[in-house]
Structures are given as C-alpha cells and as structure tokens.
Amino acid sequence: MTFAPAPFPEGYAALVTAAGRGTRAGTAEPKQWMALGGQSVLARTLGAFAGAERTLLVVHPADMDRALAAFGGQVTLVAGGETRAESVRAGLEALEGSASHVLIHDGARPLVSQDVIRGVIDALRGGAAAAAPALPVSDALWSGAGGQVTGFAPRDGLFRAQTPQGFALDAILAAHRAHDPAAPSPADDVQLAHQAGLAIAITKGDEDNIKLTYPGDFARAERVLQGEGAMDIRLGNGFDVHASCAGDHVMLCGVRIAHDRGLAGHSDADVGMHALTDAIYGALAEGDIGRHFPPSDPQWKGADSAIFLAHAADLARRRGYRVGNADVTLICETPKIGPHAGAMQDRLAEIAGIETGRVSVKATTSERLGFTGRGEGIAAIATVTLIGAAR
C-alpha cells in the first residue's frame, strides 16, 4: 500500500475530530497529543490527509492554543462541543459552502492508509452519497454479564466500522441539523446518515487502521510502525557555500559567533542551516531553498534562516515524516566551531522540532587548501534521514 498522501479531488475536504479527552487510554494527557513513533498522534493523523484541498481540525477549547502552536497555518481549527456529534457539526458548519464532499476521520486513528482513504473517495466519485470503510466480523459474538457468557449472536452481515467516513457535504450537514439534541448521541456519522435515509457504501477497511482507545493500543500501533515494510526511509544531502565579506560576526547553525569577517548572502548567510534545510527538501524531492524562498524576493533579504529550516521540517511532518537524524559538517579554518557545537545542536533541534540527540554538528578544515583554506568563505555539508510509515 502507498503512504505518500495523494491529492484529493477538487471540492473534497477532510475533517479530523480531536476534541475528546480519551480517558480510557489511561495517558497523562489526551491521547491525540501523545507521542507515537516520534510524532504526536494528531500530527501523524493529519499527515495522512495532507493531500486534501482543505483540512479542518476540531479540538477541545482547552487545546486551542496548543493546536495553534502545532498546526496553525496548516489546517483550519474549530472548537469542539460536548459530544462527538456536536464537534463534527461545528466542523461541518465551518465547511459549508467551501466544499462539495467531506471525509470525517477520528484523530485517534493515526495509521489510516492511503488505500483506505482512496477507497472512500472512489466510492463517492462513483456516485455514492456516503461511504465508509469497514471490516467484516470474523470472531464469534457473545453477550455477557457478571463475567459470564449469557448468550450468542450471529456474526453474518456484521462489520467493524472505521473512518474516514465520506459524505456529500450538504447531505451529512442536513442530517446533523435534523438530529434531535435530546436523542441519544449517535455512535458515528454513518448512523446519522442512515437515520436520514442516505444509502451508505461499504469500502475496504484495514486491520492496521486501529483507533487508539486503551493503553495497549499504543503498543500495538508502535509494532505496526516498526514492523517489516512499515517504514519509509528517505535520505537527503545538502551543500552550501557563502563567501566572506566585511563584518564582525557569522551566523552558523543558528548561533551568532564573533568573527573578524562576515558571510555574504541574501538572508543571514547561515551556511550550516542552509545545507541542512536543503537536505530535508532533497529527501522530500522538494528542490532547494531557492524554490521555496527565492533570493529575488526582497522579503527574504537579511531573513533569519530559522524560517527556512522550520518550513522544511514542517513540510516533512505534514507529509507524514519525522527527522530520524541530522548531521552537519562545517568546513572552515576559522572561527573555531568546537566551543559552539553544543549550542548549535540545541538550536537546530529546537527549530526542527526534534531531540538534540538526533542532531550532530562538527567541523573540519581543508588543510589550508582551496577557498576555505584561504579564508575566502565557509562551506557546509548536511545529511538527514526522514522516516515515515510506508503503508
């Protein structure tokens, strides 16, 4: 199965619900904010829908500031309600008039595959008013009470529901508006759609598309991510050079170092950060800094290179990848890098949103050979590994 998020058809939006508290998971914080394979559950979920024209994320009002810090500018944030149905309706109301179809997905299902998503979209494009993935029930079904079996139920024709559940936007919004708030809350949007008389197509589900509900689900999800064929590893390299010029300092890997010369460049000429940024773009097959931040654009003159690195790291996260490690080598005779290497590691890790232990910064000279040996400039080489779920 493929992982790279494919573009959604025109008019198709994604609505991810993450306003619950997830108390059954037994985690220290709401489960959608817990780490899974180096990313938050929610970041991994949103990465699966990076191909959508528009993505709405419904969060608990208490999580709004956190969501803004993590995903502001990437998705439209909506405050959720007391129940899942209220949260979904809030998202649908925000989407009204801007999309023809919507895929509604649980934020706690971070392992959804592109095949599952595409199956729902294909059913909708084929004319279905609603479609949702499911798996047929294969186990025997019992009823029980007091720890004892009390009865049996046939399993024929029964399915385990999954998300995303896709709908024509106007139809599912009408179903939500027609629902009596005093009535029992529906289990999911398919139930509401069925009550409204919509025909719902069943598409193929995936055993790995689990909903994180109980503590053991996190361990299972980690095993899925670490399993054979479950990782997509990408390697990127970056190289950059900046010439020396008049000045009293250089910016290297986000650290200002006093020096008898500066470095020439359209931005702040941080050669180390530029190399690392290009390495991430390269691993993503997204070109280089110049494609995303053209030097011909005056708004980037003198810009802090942290802007570039943060953009590249964020792009990787939205594509469903995390930085496994980054290695930067600075090539110069002076200034001495050793005393500043630790601060450089900390700064690069902070900007990229990863642990300091995943970043290496080191230096070498060119034995006084070439332009770096003559002090005419500084060069940098960077290598980065990106890890994503190849599902």
Side-chain angles (χ1 to χ4, degrees), residues 276 322-327 354 357-360 383-387:
L276 179 55
R322 61 184 174 89
V323 176
N325 74 296
D327 183 21
I354 59 177
R358 294 185 179 275
V359 179
S360 168
T383 302
V384 68
T385 302
L386 299 183
I387 302 174

Side-chain angles (χ1 to χ4, degrees), residues 2 102 136 253 272 277 295 300 359 366 370 383:
T2 57
V102 60
C253 296
T277 302
W300 308 122
V359 179
S366 55
T383 302

